[in-house]
Amino acid sequence: MIPVDPRRVPKLAEMPYGYRHLGYCQALLGHTVLRDLPEAKGEESDRLYLSHIAWLEGKGKDELDRMLKIKRA
């Protein structure tokens, strides 16, 4: 836990959106925050999310591989 002063608004806009709160806390502790880490957005992320739903619905390995564009030998 990091105590915060509610009268001071942190500068979160400087951090990448997907991990701005974590990045802000790391910066407070003196760590270097990488600005180019991947975020959970875009086509690949959407496919992964949809494959989780398909798995919960009982879809088989072949269907999941097709959704994720995985080619097994």
Side-chain angles (χ1 to χ4, degrees):
M1 300 296 289
I2 300 173
V4 295
D5 182 350
R7 297 169 292 179
R8 290 183 52 208
V9 178
K11 296 179 182 177
L12 297 178
E14 298 173 1
M15 300 294 164
Y17 182 80
Y19 52 98
R20 62 185 177 194
H21 296 91
L22 175 62
Y24 176 76
C25 292
Q26 289 177 328
L28 283 179
L29 296 171
H31 298 288
T32 300
V33 179
L34 300 175
R35 309 296 174 141
D36 60 347
L37 293 174
E39 297 184 54
K41 61 182 179 181
E43 182 185 336
E44 289 180 349
S45 179
D46 293 345
R47 273 200 328 267
L48 182 60
Y49 179 75
L50 292 173
S51 72
H52 290 144
I53 294 171
W55 179 79
L56 289 171
E57 292 173 345
K59 303 292 183 194
K61 178 177 67 86
D62 292 337
E63 172 112 14
L64 297 174
D65 285 354
R66 185 187 58 73
M67 291 178 76
L68 295 170
K69 299 182 179 180
I70 295 174
K71 295 178 183 173
R72 299 184 190 265

